Amino acid sequence: MERFKEIEALLAEAFALNLENDPKGACDKWLEAWVQMKELFAEGVATDIYDLNRKYKWKEFPGNHVQYLEMELHNAGIDDKTYHQKRIDYCQELLQWSGTDELLINNTRIALGEAHYDLGDEAGGEQVFKDWIQEDPDCGWAYSGWADCLRIHSGEQYEKAEEVLLAGYSRSGLRDKKYVIEGFVNLYNDMGNGVKAKEFKKIYAGLHPSELEGVDYKKPEPVRVVKIGRNEPCPCGSGKKYKKCCGA
């Protein structure tokens, strides 16, 4: 019980620092809490992060905080690139303790690739997505996540992003096709190709309801809106995507 209280106190400190616009301080506190959570996993107190949610009457579930941490590590890395490496290390660990939650797993895998690209390790980022596609070649998240990294985090590699999306779109058994189609819309909008963007918007509108079911491809909203969702407009009102505007 006492250890749960210690973790909760660290989570509260991280939360407060995040509200004070101190991403590095917030991440440091969250990472302290994460070390203690990993100890509980290693000792068999909880099998994964969602099992840990059930072990104590938390004011806010650790399962939410681990996702805040992933996003805030990106923000901290904007000013201090060592936090991009910390994000890589953290995502690799989080994948071990994510249970079977598809949303958390897929978002974490994409974040792992993003962090490599943000660090300037293009080969490492590419390998993350290649391994994912080899493991699950019909996963739409892998193709759309990789394409986003290429167009946003790696010098606007539009042609390569298009190749990745086409490779996914061509698969007859592709799951979560809507994310790949959204990827085309975003890519062609960035390229200034309104005709192609409209074409894929129509394709999206024509998807069967069964193809629109499943988990929503959005990360939980962070405590402080600094890193907006991957396709969200910038809060400054420019009309551009956050990562193409203030987040750049």
Side-chain angles (χ1 to χ4, degrees):
M1 183 72 70
E2 195 61 36
R3 295 173 72 186
F4 292 141
K5 290 181 179 179
E6 290 176 9
I7 292 172
E8 187 161 62
L10 288 168
L11 296 178
E13 289 183 64
F15 190 100
L17 289 166
N18 194 33
L19 290 176
E20 294 171 4
N21 289 336
D22 182 0
K24 291 170 65 174
C27 286
D28 291 344
K29 285 296 178 183
W30 265 318
L31 287 171
E32 283 186 51
W34 177 241
V35 169
Q36 294 202 34
M37 291 183 212
K38 288 190 296 180
E39 291 175 356
L40 295 179
F41 298 144
E43 294 168 14
V45 174
T47 57
D48 56 53
I49 191 64
Y50 293 104
D51 188 34
L52 184 59
N53 285 347
R54 297 187 288 268
K55 298 297 183 180
Y56 180 68
K57 292 184 178 180
W58 306 95
K59 293 179 181 178
E60 184 172 5
F61 288 133
N64 293 334
H65 281 277
V66 296
Q67 295 172 81
Y68 299 154
L69 170 56
E70 178 269 298
M71 290 185 282
E72 201 64 15
L73 282 166
H74 165 84
N75 295 327
I78 293 172
D79 295 323
D80 184 344
K81 288 188 178 294
T82 62
Y83 282 84
H84 290 319
Q85 183 60 56
K86 290 181 181 182
R87 190 180 183 210
I88 290 170
D89 298 339
Y90 171 68
C91 287
Q92 289 173 333
E93 293 173 349
L94 181 56
L95 286 170
Q96 299 177 46
W97 307 110
S98 295
T100 59
D101 185 86
E102 182 182 359
L103 180 62
L104 178 58
I105 292 169
N106 289 343
N107 273 325
T108 302
R109 295 184 87 160
I110 290 172
L112 177 59
E114 282 182 3
H116 278 284
Y117 280 106
D118 285 338
L119 193 59
D121 179 16
E122 185 171 328
E126 185 170 294
Q127 195 61 51
V128 168
F129 291 104
K130 283 185 174 180
D131 289 346
W132 189 356
I133 289 170
Q134 183 174 6
E135 175 189 328
D136 188 358
D138 289 326
C139 180
W141 291 64
Y143 298 98
S144 60
W146 189 3
D148 278 354
C149 283
L150 290 167
R151 77 183 172 84
I152 297 171
H153 297 264
S154 187
E156 299 180 347
Q157 296 189 52
Y158 294 148
E159 290 185 7
K160 189 168 183 179
E162 185 178 38
E163 290 176 6
V164 168
L165 291 171
L166 287 170
Y169 195 61
S170 67
R171 295 194 63 83
S172 60
L174 183 69
R175 306 187 315 279
D176 299 311
K177 184 185 293 185
K178 61 181 179 179
Y179 304 135
V180 174
I181 296 172
E182 286 177 348
F184 278 119
V185 173
N186 293 329
L187 173 64
Y188 290 129
N189 276 331
D190 284 356
M191 294 174 68
N193 190 337
V195 173
K196 294 290 287 185
K198 287 181 180 179
E199 176 185 330
F200 278 94
K201 284 182 181 178
K202 289 181 180 179
I203 293 173
Y204 188 95
L207 288 174
H208 189 274
S210 64
E211 295 177 291
L212 296 172
E213 294 175 354
V215 295
D216 190 17
Y217 192 6
K218 291 183 180 179
K219 296 182 179 179
E221 187 173 334
V223 178
R224 173 171 57 87
V225 183
V226 175
K227 185 189 176 198
I228 311 302
R230 56 197 292 274
N231 296 321
E232 295 296 321
C234 187
C236 76
S238 68
K240 298 179 181 179
K241 296 178 181 63
Y242 175 72
K243 292 178 184 176
K244 296 288 287 183
C245 188
C246 296

